[in-house]
């Protein structure tokens, strides 16, 4: 019989609870669940939760440093497409500090990696960032090329939030 109350399993439950609260936009509440996750060490999922928390709290520099450290550790694509997701967060962080060129490079690389791994939700999010950056460069055609597949994927896979973001961007392109 498996013991479900080991410190590691408890830490994974806490990390998941923190992730749920972050997804609900509650970083302060999520932080209390993350205190006991040290046992998970440098797992990419733990790093990603920390990066997302920093972004939600408006700490783009902290999120960028978290991305740098996670990428430097390596082993991000062993079982899941963590590198693509972390590059996507790097793109958002760079955009937040005003580095549009770096954000564009990170977004395109993330989009390619996430397409390869078939992670539909994150790939759709990467398309959103690519389109947003294209609009910022004054390239509505480049944005439009990315937006239609983004909206289609969002509808097909029930990603209503991303579908709404795509439709809102498309209104800016039209």
């Amino acid at each position: 019989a498996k013991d479900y109350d080991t410190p590691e399993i408890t830490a994974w439950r806490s990390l998941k609870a923190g992730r749920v609260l972050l997804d609900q936009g509650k970083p302060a509440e999520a932080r209390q669940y993350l205190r006991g996750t040290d046992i998970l060490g440098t797992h990419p999922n733990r790093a990603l939760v920390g990066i997302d928390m920093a972004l939600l709290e408006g700490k783009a520099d902290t999120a960028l440093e978290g991305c740098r450290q996670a990428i430097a550790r390596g082993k991000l694509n062993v079982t899941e497409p963590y590198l693509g997701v972390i590059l996507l967060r790097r793109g958002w962080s760079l955009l937040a500090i005003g580095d549009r060129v770096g954000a564009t490079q990170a977004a395109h690389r993330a989009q390619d990696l996430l397409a390869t791994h078939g992670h539909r939700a994150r790939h759709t999010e990467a398309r959103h960032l690519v389109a947003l950056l294209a609009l910022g460069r004054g390239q509505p055609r480049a944005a439009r090329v990315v937006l239609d597949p983004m909206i289609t994927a969002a509808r097909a896979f029930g990603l209503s939030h991303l579908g709404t973001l795509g439709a809102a961007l498309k209104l800016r392109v039209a």
Side-chain angles (χ1 to χ4, degrees), residues 26-167:
K26 302 174 183 175
E29 292 175 33
R31 187 174 296 282
Q32 68 187 358
Y33 286 96
L34 301 180
R35 288 191 185 107
T37 61
D38 294 346
I39 194 169
L40 301 177
T42 60
H43 191 279
N45 205 16
R46 184 168 177 250
L48 194 53
V49 168
I51 291 164
D52 285 344
M53 182 176 301
L55 283 170
L56 273 173
E57 292 174 338
K59 300 174 183 174
D61 290 332
T62 303
L64 199 54
E65 179 60 20
C67 292
R68 187 197 64 73
Q69 289 177 10
I71 291 168
R73 284 187 204 113
K75 299 181 182 178
L76 292 175
N77 283 338
V78 176
T79 57
E80 294 189 33
Y82 287 112
L83 180 58
V85 178
I86 288 176
L87 283 170
L88 179 58
R89 296 301 184 262
R90 179 176 168 76
W92 285 112
S93 301
L94 288 167
L95 180 61
I97 64 170
D99 183 355
R100 297 185 71 81
V101 173
T104 301
Q105 292 170 347
H108 280 284
R109 187 151 176 241
Q111 182 182 4
D112 292 343
L113 281 170
L114 293 166
T116 301
H117 285 284
H119 198 298
R120 293 179 185 113
R122 298 297 180 219
H123 181 244
T124 304
E125 184 183 348
R127 285 177 176 260
H128 174 249
L129 180 57
V130 167
L132 185 67
L133 289 162
L135 279 176
R137 290 189 311 269
Q139 298 174 334
R141 284 186 184 163
R144 192 175 302 120
V145 167
V146 176
L147 283 172
D148 285 334
M150 175 195 163
I151 293 167
T152 301
R155 286 182 184 149
F157 300 110
L159 308 170
S160 58
H161 178 69
L162 289 170
T164 302
L165 291 172

